[in-house]
Amino acid sequence: MGIEIERKFLLKSDRWRSLGDRIFYQQGYLLIDKSRTVRIRTIKEKGFVTIKGAATGYSRSEFEYEIPIEDAKLILNILCEKPLIEKYRTKIEINEITWEVDEFVGENDGLVIAEVELKDENQIIVLPDWIGEEVSGNPIYNNSYLVKNPYKTWQKL
């Protein structure tokens, strides 16, 4: 069984922008439930299906498999809930830890979140100076939440 151990943060500056290359991601959800999600994603010319379980602390089960890009695109367009999640991800290596900064576009334009995957929940990390408030465990920052509650609607509240 695959386990994902992840922490999420808001950002307090743009200093991260020059530290890595941006890659476009598009993803959609076939199933969004409190106990599981099933996601389809395209990254460059690759497609993936990912199944995730419910989070306990920073951890949750995760299974990801590559699928043909043509199938992924069709599933995104025909079967996934809308709006799709569209974002640019910048991967930044600092002290043997990979930070992933997601800059959302489309219906979630304006939202920027940094994530870091850990080897275990107690792993100590040094936060770069551009990292702000931790939002791990806050479901409104989950991509699956953003499908039904896009960031653009938050700004109207």
Side-chain angles (χ1 to χ4, degrees):
M1 173 167 63
I3 300 289
E4 172 188 60
I5 304 168
E6 179 181 82
R7 292 175 64 185
K8 292 184 179 192
F9 301 84
L10 298 178
L11 287 95
K12 62 182 179 183
S13 80
D14 285 343
R15 289 187 229 228
W16 59 272
R17 289 193 182 278
S18 63
L19 302 176
D21 295 327
R22 296 171 78 209
I23 297 173
F24 184 70
Y25 283 54
Q26 188 175 52
Q27 64 191 49
Y29 289 83
L30 294 169
L31 174 68
I32 300 172
D33 183 280
K34 287 184 180 181
S35 62
R36 70 191 68 81
T37 60
V38 179
R39 173 185 78 199
I40 302 296
R41 175 185 270 178
T42 59
I43 308 167
K44 294 186 178 179
E45 289 304 312
K46 291 187 176 188
F48 299 90
V49 60
T50 307
I51 304 158
K52 294 186 179 193
T56 303
Y58 299 131
S59 302
R60 63 181 167 177
S61 57
E62 178 183 60
F63 304 89
E64 184 167 77
Y65 307 97
E66 189 169 344
I67 61 174
I69 186 68
E70 297 81 13
D71 291 354
K73 287 178 180 179
L74 279 172
I75 295 167
L76 284 169
N77 290 328
I78 297 169
L79 299 176
C80 288
E81 292 191 40
K82 304 297 186 283
L84 297 176
I85 299 295
E86 298 175 309
K87 60 188 177 182
Y88 287 92
R89 174 168 283 176
T90 303
K91 292 188 178 187
I92 302 164
E93 225 19 77
I94 300 175
N95 299 325
E96 299 180 20
I97 293 177
T98 302
W99 289 88
E100 298 176 339
V101 178
D102 289 340
E103 187 175 10
F104 292 84
V105 295
E107 291 299 306
N108 292 292
D109 188 48
L111 181 61
V112 183
I113 299 173
E115 302 175 349
V116 62
E117 289 197 21
L118 306 174
K119 293 176 184 158
D120 69 70
E121 286 205 12
N122 298 315
Q123 182 176 346
I124 296 171
I125 56 173
V126 176
L127 302 179
D129 64 358
W130 38 268
I131 292 293
E133 175 187 355
E134 183 165 8
V135 294
S136 302
N138 186 337
I140 70 170
Y141 294 101
N142 291 343
N143 289 304
S144 57
Y145 180 90
L146 295 171
V147 170
K148 295 183 179 192
N149 304 281
Y151 185 66
K152 283 186 175 181
T153 65
W154 299 9
Q155 297 168 348
K156 295 177 184 174
L157 300 176

